Amino acid sequence: MSPPHGDGARRRSVFLGRLPLTERTFLADALRTETVGGTLLLAAAVLALVLANTGVSGFYADVRDFHFGPEALHLNLSVADWAKDGLLTIFFFVAGIELKRELVAGELRDPRAAALPIVSAVCGMAVPALIYVAASAAGGGDLRGWAIPMATDIAFALGVLAVLGTGLPSALRAFLLTLAVVDDLGAIVIIAVFYSAGISLGALAGAVAGLAVFWFLHHKGVRGWYVYVPLALVIWGLMHASGVHATVAGVAMGLMLRCSVRPGETASPAARIEHLVRPLSAGLAVPVFALFAAGVAVSGGALTQVFTRPETLGVVLGLLVGKTLGVFFGAWAAARFTKAELNRDLAWADVLAIAALAGIGFTVSLLISELAFAGEAALTDESKAAVLTGSLLAAVFAGILLKLRTRRYRSLLEAEERDEDGDGVPDVYEEGDPDFHLRMAALYEAKAAEHRRLAEVAQGDDAADDGPA
């Protein structure tokens, strides 16, 4: 991507400019897993809808509602609840690691650079909530679902991109990822504050004490999955018993992992553990949750009701209209008042497409639907149908916008990835710097060593390295 020109341009920061090479490499690795996970998520959602709307719907409901677990520990849960409260904790654990990394080494580490995605994300959460409240209040609906259309599902969004076959430039993908990370933080706070009831202070104190032990052992360098997995299960159980949603435990533990690299290390504990856990989250936890959460009965009458009932109309409009307008105008206003100049290779239409993609709310939106309307099965299913409808419409709208610029994106991506000298470094990073490859040699050697190290851990060659350090 071309840099800005002229003295005036040099005094201004660039919005959606070219990423540093190390950040671009990390982004490519992370999004590769998320894209595969998003495709699995799409498949799981479609399968859930098929099972819930065919002759096997009774069997599907029986499996979903089957209870198991120790009653004495208040863990006699349904299969759907185990997926929601248990497996989804893995997803939030990875979200916590992502947030920690963004704060320490990513887009959020510099307050000036972080202003744009943070303002965009906050506006992208506030506007959908306001639209939901307005639609529900106007029709005399239930206001408890105000947070349903606030979240962006990065895996689902990237899965849509994979299906559409659209190759976005890395800066646009990074912006979408950062938006999703801030969204996840907002969702975590909302779930903990507004959708937790009947707090047990004793169990909560026990969970906090467990987290303190987790942090102490981690920062003292204690290693071994056999230490941390049992401790994590105890923390999760106490958090679940406390009345605070159990997924908060996953976020808290993710935030406690160290993202810095100490002398003698090839990768930080957070990077090493994320490398191991992310495939479990994207490939198992989220698709299984979707399999049991997205299975709602859909008929012509039910789809019509989505656009007539105030709560469901608020969800659809919040995702499709609120999310798009909130993210877009948040980005525009932040760029305007921080005097950030949009990358000259892109246009504001590209930001609008990303804003529309942010309207694909799935995993967290379905979770909040269950929490907001707990005990009201009909309204829960209707709000889930609204989430699916709003997300589908947002995906179609974003797909149209992206297809209009496909040729431009393809040329930008080819320029980013061109490596005519075959040294493993895109040529765009070497322009005007003939000694660049010499300075990057150590970085790539370290990266290769890190991958070898992670491969050994993944294969179980050194079981002690599976835990935090």
Side-chain angles (χ1 to χ4, degrees):
M1 298 179 185
S2 59
H5 302 285
D7 293 339
R10 281 196 295 268
R11 289 194 296 267
R12 306 182 70 180
S13 60
V14 178
F15 175 39
L16 298 179
R18 189 174 69 224
L19 298 178
L21 183 58
T22 52
E23 184 72 11
R24 183 180 180 276
T25 303
F26 171 84
L27 180 72
D29 291 341
L31 293 186
R32 189 175 298 112
T33 302
E34 290 286 7
T35 300
V36 173
T39 305
L40 293 175
L41 179 59
L42 286 170
V46 171
L47 178 59
L49 290 171
V50 170
L51 292 174
N53 291 276
T54 58
V56 297
S57 59
F59 173 75
Y60 172 75
D62 289 341
V63 173
R64 182 186 60 198
D65 298 332
F66 178 77
H67 281 65
F68 67 96
E71 180 65 44
L73 298 177
H74 305 287
L75 291 176
N76 184 25
L77 308 176
S78 68
V79 171
D81 285 337
W82 276 110
K84 177 185 69 177
D85 296 343
L87 285 177
L88 212 56
T89 302
I90 301 172
F91 166 80
F92 278 99
F93 176 68
V94 174
I97 298 176
E98 289 177 340
L99 177 59
K100 178 68 172 290
R101 186 195 169 278
E102 287 291 323
L103 291 169
V104 172
E107 289 290 313
L108 303 182
R109 72 186 184 281
D110 181 355
R112 291 177 297 178
L116 279 154
I118 289 178
V119 171
S120 299
V122 171
C123 292
M125 290 185 285
V127 176
L130 291 174
I131 287 179
Y132 176 92
V133 170
S136 294
D142 194 324
L143 299 181
R144 290 177 297 169
W146 60 272
I148 294 173
M150 292 176 62
T152 295
D153 194 310
I154 183 62
F156 211 142
L158 292 172
V160 169
L161 286 178
V163 172
L164 292 174
T166 302
L168 285 181
S170 57
L172 287 173
R173 289 176 178 263
F175 181 58
L176 178 60
L177 178 61
T178 306
L179 279 175
V181 169
V182 179
D183 258 2
D184 286 342
L185 174 61
I188 292 159
V189 173
I190 288 168
I191 289 171
V193 174
F194 296 100
Y195 295 108
S196 296
I199 303 299
S200 170
L201 294 180
L204 182 60
V208 172
L211 288 170
V213 172
F214 184 97
W215 180 89
F216 177 80
L217 294 175
H218 176 64
H219 285 269
K220 285 297 182 181
V222 176
R223 306 172 71 89
W225 64 268
Y226 44 82
V227 174
Y228 292 95
V229 171
L231 178 59
L233 291 174
V234 170
I235 294 170
W236 175 86
L238 289 169
M239 191 69 75
H240 185 276
S242 73
V244 177
H245 199 267
T247 54
V248 174
V251 177
M253 287 183 280
L255 285 170
M256 288 181 177
L257 297 183
R258 176 168 56 82
C259 290
S260 58
V261 179
R262 291 176 179 173
E265 292 182 335
T266 57
S268 68
R272 190 166 65 248
I273 294 170
E274 183 182 16
H275 179 82
L276 293 171
V277 177
R278 183 183 287 277
L280 181 62
S281 170
L284 176 66
V286 175
V288 169
F289 167 75
L291 181 62
F292 293 108
V296 295
V298 178
S299 63
L303 290 177
T304 302
Q305 192 172 10
V306 164
F307 296 98
T308 56
R309 183 168 182 138
E311 297 92 345
T312 52
L313 180 61
V315 171
V316 173
L317 292 178
L319 288 171
L320 178 61
V321 180
K323 205 69 174 167
T324 302
L325 294 181
V327 171
F328 178 81
F329 284 108
W332 180 87
R336 174 70 177 83
F337 291 108
T338 60
K339 300 187 182 302
E341 181 179 82
L342 181 66
N343 185 334
R344 294 187 180 185
D345 287 329
L346 299 172
W348 282 106
D350 302 314
V351 181
L352 182 64
I354 294 299
L357 272 175
I360 301 175
F362 193 79
T363 304
V364 179
S365 292
L366 291 177
L367 173 61
I368 295 178
S369 295
E370 296 189 355
L371 299 177
F373 303 125
E376 300 183 41
L379 188 53
T380 298
D381 283 349
E382 290 168 0
S383 64
K384 287 181 179 180
V387 169
L388 297 175
T389 302
S391 297
L392 177 61
L393 292 175
V396 171
F397 180 49
I400 292 172
L401 294 176
L402 292 170
K403 283 297 183 182
L404 293 175
R405 298 270 290 173
T406 296
R407 184 174 301 176
R408 180 59 175 162
Y409 294 149
R410 187 179 296 116
S411 65
L412 291 174
L413 196 60
E414 288 174 355
E416 280 186 8
E417 297 180 346
R418 186 177 296 113
D419 181 20
E420 294 183 354
D421 56 9
D423 63 354
V425 179
D427 296 338
V428 69
Y429 287 94
E430 300 177 303
E431 292 176 356
D433 186 359
D435 295 326
F436 182 87
H437 65 284
L438 297 176
R439 295 188 293 102
M440 296 299 294
L443 171 65
Y444 276 88
E445 176 58 32
K447 189 71 176 177
E450 175 185 345
H451 280 293
R452 289 194 296 270
R453 172 71 166 169
L454 293 176
E456 291 176 359
V457 173
Q459 293 170 2
D461 291 344
D462 186 356
D465 286 344
D466 287 354

